[in-house]
Amino acid sequence: MNATAAKLAGFAAALAALFGVGAAAGSIIDPSAPGGEVKAEMGHGAMAVMAVRGLSVAENGLRVVVDDAELRRGRTEQLRFRILDEAGHAVRDFDVEHTKRMHLIVARRDLTGFQHLHPTMGADGTWSAPLRLSEPGSYRLFADFSHDDKPTTLADDLRVDGAADLRPLPAPAPSAVSDGGYDVLLQGGAARAGSESELRFTITKDGRPVQTEPYLGAGGHLVALREGDLAFLHVHPNDDHDVIGFEATFPTTGAYRLFLQFKVDGVVQTVAFTQEVR
Ligand SMILES: [Cu+2]
């Protein structure tokens, strides 16, 4: 291995460590590969750094500040937070994205307990939403919004006191049942790190196709969180006809949890899938 290759391998190892995935550096960068290929692979690595969001409390000159991050188990409490600019002023002029100015995602560290809420903003810029967390543990809060045309996802931790019974990530399966009893089939194919994957969902009930209603201005809404660090992936809806489709670029190998939401008969359904990325 020459000096450049060694440096690149070191960078790849650093990236792997940064992303907290169990991938060996060797799977990202092959030291025996010709220089050109190594560079191409590193190109993906650089893209990966930009593609993930939701790993920090501050980004793009903005910061999320949660009023009280400690919640009581099983009680509905008002969660309050603000987005502050560099001068410490609460931001109030948010852009509308997916029909809302603020999307609030909450998930426990083991990727259970997913919630997607739309808080309301007070005159002083404080966002609030009723939130009920039924299990103890550490939760991740994601404030997903756009300001000055810059889409941003800021994250912080919430806590619910008590002994957390953390669950392992379910094994990947092509079908799952939504919380309201709809059968959902995922045709994802083999998702590869660094390249665009198409994720298509078909929804049936008792074997019959289900017509979904628009939800947040699209056929459905998808949030992808990476196992380990809960990196938040931005996913683009790919509006087809009969299927709900998305284009996602998984930045690294590892396991991701996909949370699909769609609307039927006025009720939002949530269903989750485990996606392995090689
Ligand atoms: Cu939302």
Side-chain angles (χ1 to χ4, degrees):
M1 191 189 287
N2 64 34
T4 311
K7 211 187 258 178
L8 285 171
F11 180 48
L15 271 179
L18 176 70
F19 286 123
V21 291
S27 66
I28 296 172
I29 182 167
D30 177 3
S32 65
E37 276 182 45
V38 169
K39 280 202 193 96
E41 288 300 308
M42 289 319 296
H44 291 155
M47 206 168 74
V49 173
M50 295 186 294
V52 292
R53 293 197 211 156
L55 291 176
S56 56
V57 290
E59 207 177 2
N60 294 341
L62 301 171
R63 166 178 292 271
V64 61
V65 176
V66 178
D67 259 14
D68 182 1
E70 186 100 38
L71 286 96
R72 287 169 301 171
R73 174 190 184 177
R75 308 269 192 97
T76 301
E77 304 202 42
Q78 280 297 319
L79 179 77
R80 288 190 187 82
F81 66 95
R82 287 166 299 152
I83 306 298
L84 303 184
D85 63 18
E86 278 170 327
H89 299 130
V91 175
R92 289 180 293 175
D93 55 334
F94 294 89
D95 311 323
V96 173
E97 285 273 297
H98 307 296
T99 75
K100 304 281 180 186
R101 293 185 195 279
M102 179 64 69
H103 301 266
L104 174 66
I105 305 290
V106 176
R108 201 166 74 156
R109 276 285 175 184
D110 62 354
L111 293 168
T112 63
F114 173 89
Q115 295 190 47
H116 178 178
L117 307 167
H118 296 111
T120 51
M121 193 183 74
D124 67 347
T126 299
W127 290 96
S128 58
L131 178 64
R132 183 178 180 274
L133 300 176
S134 52
E135 301 291 335
S138 176
Y139 288 76
R140 201 76 173 142
L141 163 154
F142 301 93
D144 188 44
F145 59 89
S146 172
H147 176 248
D148 281 345
D149 293 326
K150 235 181 279 167
T152 304
T153 308
L154 302 179
D156 203 352
D157 286 337
L158 303 174
R159 295 177 304 278
V160 177
D161 244 356
D165 174 24
L166 298 177
R167 270 154 251 163
L169 201 66
S175 64
V177 181
S178 78
D179 47 2
Y182 291 89
D183 296 306
V184 183
L185 184 70
L186 164 63
Q187 291 148 292
R192 272 199 68 215
S195 49
E196 202 164 74
S197 310
E198 214 194 327
L199 305 167
R200 291 151 60 93
F201 299 91
T202 37
I203 297 154
T204 55
K205 181 125 193 183
D206 303 324
R208 289 197 200 94
V210 169
Q211 197 59 48
T212 61
E213 296 156 26
Y215 176 56
L216 300 173
H221 189 271
L222 184 71
V223 170
L225 299 176
R226 183 167 54 191
E227 186 188 30
D229 61 0
L230 271 61
F232 184 103
L233 263 72
H234 192 72
V235 175
H236 296 277
N238 182 4
D239 268 328
D240 258 353
H241 4 87
D242 290 337
V243 292
I244 301 177
F246 298 89
E247 274 160 26
T249 302
F250 297 99
T252 60
T253 57
Y256 295 75
R257 193 74 170 152
L258 311 177
F259 299 95
L260 173 73
Q261 295 187 292
F262 56 92
K263 204 171 182 182
V264 187
D265 293 336
V267 179
V268 176
Q269 301 286 322
T270 303
V271 61
F273 292 84
T274 296
Q275 175 77 54
E276 286 284 355
V277 177
R278 295 171 201 288

